[in-house]
Amino acid sequence: MVEIEIDGKKVEVPAGSMVMDAANKLGTYIPHFCYHKKLSIAANCRMCLVEVEKAPKPLPACATPVAAGMIVRSASDKAVQAQKSVMEFLLINHPLDCPICDQGGECQLQDLAVGYGKTTSRYEEDKRVVAPKDGGPLVSMQEMSRCIQCTRCVRFGQEVAGVMELGMIGRGEHSEITAFVGQTVTSEMSGNMIDLCPVGALTSKPFRYSARSWELSRRKSVSPHDGLGANLIVQVKAGKVKRVLPLENDAVNECWISDKDRFSYEGLDSADRLTQPMLKQGNEWKEVDWQTALEYVAHGLKNIRHEHGAQSLASLATPHSTLEELHLLQKLTRAMGSDSVDTRLRNADVSLQGVAPWLGMSIADFGQLNRAFVIGSFLRKDHPQLATRLRLAVKGGAKLSILHATDDDLLMNVANKMIAAPSDWLAALSQVVVAVAAAKGVAAPAGFEGVQADAAATAIAASLLSGDAALSRGVFLGNAAAQHPQAGALHAAAQWIAEQTGAKFGYLTEAANTVGAYIANANSASAPAFSEQKKAYLLLNAEPAFDAHNPQVAASALQNADMVVVMSPYKHGMEYADVLLPVSPFSETSGTFVNCEGRAQSFNGTVKPLLETRPAWKVLRVLGNILGLSGFEYETSEAIRDEVLGAGVTDVTSKLNNRSAAAPVAAQIGNGGTERIADVPIYFADAIVRRAESLQQTADAAAPKAHLSAALAQQLGVAAGDLVKVTQGAGNATLLAAIDAALPARTVRVAAAHASTAALGSMFGSITVEKAGEGK
C-alpha cells in the first residue's frame, strides 16, 4: 500500500493506483470526462488536471501513478486554472444547443461548464461541423458535432462489449468518432455507450425528443428478461415508461444493462395490449367486466374437474412471471386437485427430480473464473451480461472451453471447442468423461468402456485439470442444454466432470425467474408441457406458439381442450382461447424475481395498471376466493413473498440444489439424418421484447433464415439466398437459405419463437429440407 495526501487528507491505496483512484477512495471529486472506473485509461480530455507538489506543471489525475509521500492539490489556484483552460478549449467547437439537446439536464459537460467555464468565448472563428452518422435503430449519432473525443464509447466496445464498432478517424480538429464504413452499431450491449457519453453526441433513438430529463420520475425495478436480474431505473412521465437506465449494483449488473433490458419498454405500450377481460361467445369476442370473466372461469374449471377429474387441469406459465404469481398459480392448481403446473415450456426433458438448477456460484465469482466449460449455450445472445463477465475473465487469462452445435463468434478467445450436432452432445460429453478419468487415473463410470476420447475432448479435460488447484473452475449448462431431449443425461455427465475436476457446477438460467419457479414449487409436471392432452389450460404470460418446445403439439393440445384461459398483458391465442384476462407486465405490478445466483430481488410497480389491467397475483387471489379455496386472503404481494421465502430473506441458495443422483450414461457418435438446431433469438425470447418496435428493427431481430451446413447445402444444391422448404411433422416453413461452414454436416439451424417458424415442430430432432426456388 502507498500513502499519499490529497487536499490535506491522507489515504492509502495499492501500489500502481492512480491519483484518481485515491481521490475516489477519499470521496474527493476531480472533474473529468474521459475517465471511467470500468474502462481503461485514455487521459485524452485533460479535464482532471491537478497540482502535484514538485511537478513542474499540472498532471492528469487519471493517468498519474501514486508515489509514497505524494502531495496532491485538486482545487488549488494552479489546478483550477488548468481545469478552466481545458474547459475553454473543449467549448471552442462545442455547439451551444443545450435547449434542444436530449442530454440537457444530465450532461457532464453542461454541469462542469457551470463551474469551470467562462461567460464569454474568445474564439471567434467558425465552429467545426461533423456529419451525422447512422448508428442503427437504437443509438442516435445525429449530433456528432457535440462529441469531445473522450473515446469512452470506443473503449467500451473494445473492452466490455468485445467488439470495436466505433473508432476515431482523422487528427487534430478533424478527429471524429464513426462506425465502420457501411456498418451500424449492432452489439447487444450498445445502449451503454449512450450512458457513457458525457455530452449529447450519442443519444437514445427511441427516447429522442420524447421528454426532458427533469420531467421524469425515477423508480427502481428489476429486469424481467434473462437470468441475471439486472437492476433498473425506470423513468416515467404521465403514467408511461419513457426510458430505462441501469441502477448500479456491482454484485449483479455492475453499471451496465443489455439492450434487451434498456429498450424493451417500448413493448409495454404495444398496440396489442389487452386492457379489458374478454369472453368468446358464439365465436365472437366480447368485452366483459372482471366479475363476469372470473365467475365464468371458476364455473368452467369446476365443471371440467367434476366431469373429467382434477388431473385434466393444467397451469402453464413462463419463467418471466414473478415469484408471487407463480406461487399463487401452483397453489390454486393444487387446491383444485391437479399437480400439473410448469414453467419449463421450452424443455423437452423434465425428468430431473429434486434438482433446482442455478448458477452454482455468485455472479461476481463467475467473473473470476479461471477455467470454464460451457455446454449448449448461445452465450452472447442468451446471457449478454454474463458473457461480458466471462469475456473479461478470458482477457485476464481464463481458459474457456465450449461444447455446442454452432461456432458463433463469442467475441472472446475460446481455448477448446467441440462443435457437434445436438444429438451427439451426450456422446461428446462421454468422451470428456473418459478423458478426465484417464488424466486423473481414475475409473470411468460403468458403461463407458467402449468410449474413446478424441483430441478436442482430451484438450477440454486437460484444461479443466490444469493450473493451480485453488483456481476457480466451472462447468455450466446453457439454455439449449436445459431444453435438450437428453437434458437429464447431459446433466449427469456434466456433473460428474465437475466433481472430478474440482469445478463448480451450474446452469446459465434462461429467464428472470427460472430459479424462482423452483422455489415457488411451480415445476411439478412429470411430462413436458402440452405432451399430455388436458381438458383445461390456464396460461400465465405464455404464448405457446413462441414459448413452447414444440409449437405443433402445443397448438393441437390447446385446440382440443374444452377450456383455455389466457392471462396476459397482450391479445393473443384468440383462435383457441375461451377467456382473455388482462394482467400486468412487470412495470405495473409489485413482485420478486430470483436470479441465476439465487438472489431474491423485489420491486414495485413503476406505473399504474393500464385501464382494466390487474396484477396477476390479485387476479389469482380473487379467482381462488371465487372457487372457494382456502389460503387466498393476501392483502399485499409482500405477504405472498414472505410465505414463500420467509420474512426478510433475499438469499435463497440454501433452497437450491444442482446435484442429481442419476449416474452418467455413455453414448456414441451417431449417424442419423438431418436435424434441427433451434436458437431463441435475443429479441424474440419473451412477450415484451417481441413487441419492442426498435429492438425489432435490429439485425438480431431479422426474420429467421435456414442456415445449412456446407455439406448439406452442397448435397441439396442450395446456394445462399435460395428459398428452401423446411418441414417438421405436419408443419413447414419456406425460408431464405444461408450457408454456415462451421455447422455440423447434417444440421440446419432454424430459429424458434418467431411467427415465420411457429408452424414447425420440436426445437430439436429430425427436420426435412428441400430446395423451393430462387430467393433474392
Side-chain angles (χ1 to χ4, degrees), residues 361 365-372 393 396-399 462-476 498 501-505:
M361 59 175 62
D365 286 346
F366 183 84
Q368 300 298 317
L369 285 169
N370 192 266
R371 300 287 185 272
K399 302 296 182 186
S463 176
L464 286 172
L465 291 166
S466 65
D468 189 335
L471 294 175
S472 180
R473 301 182 175 95
V475 175
F476 304 98
T501 57
K504 297 287 183 67
F505 175 58

Side-chain angles (χ1 to χ4, degrees), residues 516-597:
Y518 286 87
I519 299 296
N521 196 21
N523 289 327
S524 58
S526 57
F530 301 109
S531 60
E532 294 180 347
Q533 179 67 56
K534 302 290 184 178
K535 290 295 182 180
Y537 288 96
L538 184 57
L539 304 180
L540 174 60
N541 294 320
E543 297 181 84
F546 307 134
D547 296 326
H549 181 271
N550 191 324
Q552 284 182 15
V553 170
S556 175
L558 293 167
Q559 292 286 2
N560 291 318
D562 291 349
M563 185 177 196
V564 176
V565 180
V566 170
M567 299 175 62
S568 172
Y570 304 103
K571 287 182 182 178
H572 66 85
M574 302 180 84
E575 67 276 15
Y576 54 73
D578 298 285
V579 189
L580 301 181
L581 302 178
V583 298
S584 300
F586 83 103
S587 57
E588 299 170 18
T589 183
S590 56
T592 304
F593 292 135
V594 182
N595 73 355
C596 60
E597 66 177 350

Side-chain angles (χ1 to χ4, degrees), residues 311-656:
Q311 291 306 317
S312 64
L313 309 177
S315 295
L316 299 169
T318 68
H320 302 280
S321 309
T322 68
L323 182 77
E324 293 80 359
E325 292 165 358
L326 295 177
H327 177 63
L328 290 197
L329 183 69
Q330 65 83 24
K331 191 172 184 178
L332 185 146
T333 307
R334 290 191 168 90
M336 291 288 289
S338 173
D339 201 42
S340 186
V341 56
D342 218 330
T343 66
R344 300 164 295 180
L345 305 190
R346 292 195 176 114
N347 290 20
D349 176 12
V350 295
S351 62
L352 280 173
Q353 298 297 321
V355 174
W358 66 295
L359 189 60
M361 59 175 62
S362 70
I363 291 168
D365 286 346
F366 183 84
Q368 300 298 317
L369 285 169
N370 192 266
R371 300 287 185 272
F373 182 25
V374 177
I375 302 158
S377 177
F378 298 92
L379 189 59
R380 273 180 60 199
K381 305 303 180 182
D382 289 347
H383 311 284
Q385 288 191 258
L386 284 180
T388 64
R389 294 253 188 182
L390 191 56
R391 184 176 300 116
L392 290 174
V394 169
K395 287 177 69 174
K399 302 296 182 186
L400 170 64
S401 302
I402 64 167
L403 164 60
H404 198 35
T406 66
D407 194 10
D408 295 346
D409 185 2
L410 300 182
L411 303 178
M412 66 185 95
N413 290 328
V414 179
N416 310 287
K417 61 182 71 172
M418 299 180 79
I419 306 300
S423 62
D424 289 333
W425 287 358
L426 184 57
L429 274 187
S430 298
Q431 293 186 22
V432 179
V433 167
V434 169
V436 168
K440 288 194 67 179
V442 301
F448 282 74
E449 296 78 12
V451 177
Q452 297 291 321
D454 64 12
T458 303
I460 291 173
S463 176
L464 286 172
L465 291 166
S466 65
D468 189 335
L471 294 175
S472 180
R473 301 182 175 95
V475 175
F476 304 98
L477 295 170
N479 293 358
Q483 295 157 359
H484 197 279
Q486 295 174 299
L490 293 175
H491 176 110
Q495 179 180 312
W496 190 93
I497 292 167
E499 290 170 348
Q500 294 300 315
T501 57
K504 297 287 183 67
F505 175 58
Y507 279 76
L508 308 177
T509 58
E510 178 186 4
N513 215 24
T514 297
V515 177
Y518 286 87
I519 299 296
N521 196 21
N523 289 327
S524 58
S526 57
F530 301 109
S531 60
E532 294 180 347
Q533 179 67 56
K534 302 290 184 178
K535 290 295 182 180
Y537 288 96
L538 184 57
L539 304 180
L540 174 60
N541 294 320
E543 297 181 84
F546 307 134
D547 296 326
H549 181 271
N550 191 324
Q552 284 182 15
V553 170
S556 175
L558 293 167
Q559 292 286 2
N560 291 318
D562 291 349
M563 185 177 196
V564 176
V565 180
V566 170
M567 299 175 62
S568 172
Y570 304 103
K571 287 182 182 178
H572 66 85
M574 302 180 84
E575 67 276 15
Y576 54 73
D578 298 285
V579 189
L580 301 181
L581 302 178
V583 298
S584 300
F586 83 103
S587 57
E588 299 170 18
T589 183
S590 56
T592 304
F593 292 135
V594 182
N595 73 355
C596 60
E597 66 177 350
R599 181 190 298 258
Q601 301 184 107
S602 296
F603 56 92
N604 293 316
T606 54
V607 294
K608 292 181 179 179
L610 183 63
L611 298 180
E612 288 301 304
T613 302
R614 295 292 179 266
W617 70 266
K618 290 187 177 181
V619 175
L620 289 165
R621 178 196 64 188
V622 175
L623 183 56
N625 293 335
I626 293 174
L627 285 165
L629 307 176
S630 62
F632 284 80
E633 293 79 30
Y634 307 99
E635 293 295 327
T636 64
S637 64
E638 288 79 10
I640 308 170
R641 177 196 64 198
D642 292 346
E643 181 174 283
V644 182
L645 302 180
V649 175
T650 58
D651 181 358
V652 302
T653 53
S654 61
K655 300 175 183 284
L656 302 174

Side-chain angles (χ1 to χ4, degrees), residues 83-320:
Q83 294 158 1
K84 286 185 174 181
S85 296
V86 169
M87 178 59 71
E88 185 175 18
F89 276 110
L90 286 174
L91 292 177
I92 278 176
N93 274 310
H94 196 79
L96 301 180
D97 62 348
C98 298
I100 64 159
C101 178
D102 256 10
Q103 198 86 346
E106 51 189 13
C107 172
Q108 274 185 268
L109 184 67
Q110 192 179 58
D111 293 342
L112 292 179
V114 173
Y116 299 91
K118 296 184 177 181
T119 56
T120 58
S121 173
R122 293 183 286 169
Y123 185 79
E124 297 179 351
E125 287 73 24
D126 292 337
K127 290 178 180 282
R128 76 171 192 157
V129 175
V130 179
K133 310 293 190 299
D134 181 10
L138 305 179
V139 180
S140 173
M141 300 177 72
Q142 292 301 299
E143 285 89 16
M144 294 307 291
S145 295
R146 299 172 184 160
C147 178
I148 61 171
Q149 284 79 48
C150 71
T151 69
R152 281 184 177 183
C153 56
V154 177
R155 284 175 285 147
F156 172 81
Q158 289 178 293
E159 298 164 16
V160 180
V163 54
M164 186 176 175
E165 295 183 293
L166 298 180
M168 184 180 288
I169 60 171
R171 299 186 66 178
E173 68 171 334
H174 302 294
S175 299
E176 59 182 87
I177 301 293
T178 185
F180 287 95
V181 176
Q183 296 186 23
T184 59
V185 176
T186 59
S187 164
E188 61 276 3
M189 299 287 289
S190 67
N192 292 290
M193 295 191 290
I194 300 168
D195 296 338
L196 287 170
C197 185
V199 294
L202 303 179
T203 54
S204 168
K205 192 169 282 189
F207 173 71
R208 185 173 162 84
Y209 298 145
S210 64
R212 306 304 307 228
S213 63
W214 54 85
E215 299 173 327
L216 300 170
S217 301
R218 291 159 174 80
R219 287 138 194 192
K220 296 179 182 179
S221 191
V222 178
S223 166
H225 303 301
D226 63 40
L228 190 89
N231 290 200
L232 309 177
I233 296 173
V234 177
Q235 299 189 331
V236 175
K237 178 184 176 183
K240 299 285 187 183
V241 176
K242 289 293 185 180
R243 185 167 59 166
V244 173
L245 299 174
L247 174 62
E248 184 170 352
N249 184 339
D250 239 25
V252 181
N253 55 294
E254 301 178 282
C255 54
W256 319 120
I257 53 175
S258 69
D259 289 353
K260 178 160 64 171
D261 297 333
R262 182 182 301 272
F263 297 109
S264 64
Y265 71 86
E266 287 187 298
L268 299 173
D269 294 317
S270 166
D272 67 346
R273 275 294 300 267
L274 177 64
T275 58
Q276 183 80 25
M278 300 181 74
L279 291 182
K280 186 189 286 183
Q281 297 177 340
N283 286 326
E284 288 189 10
W285 284 98
K286 296 184 178 178
E287 293 185 347
V288 296
D289 59 57
W290 271 105
Q291 188 70 22
T292 302
L294 290 178
E295 286 180 354
Y296 180 89
V297 171
H299 181 71
L301 293 177
K302 283 181 178 178
N303 280 351
I304 289 171
R305 182 178 62 175
H306 176 72
E307 294 176 12
H308 304 284
Q311 291 306 317
S312 64
L313 309 177
S315 295
L316 299 169
T318 68
H320 302 280

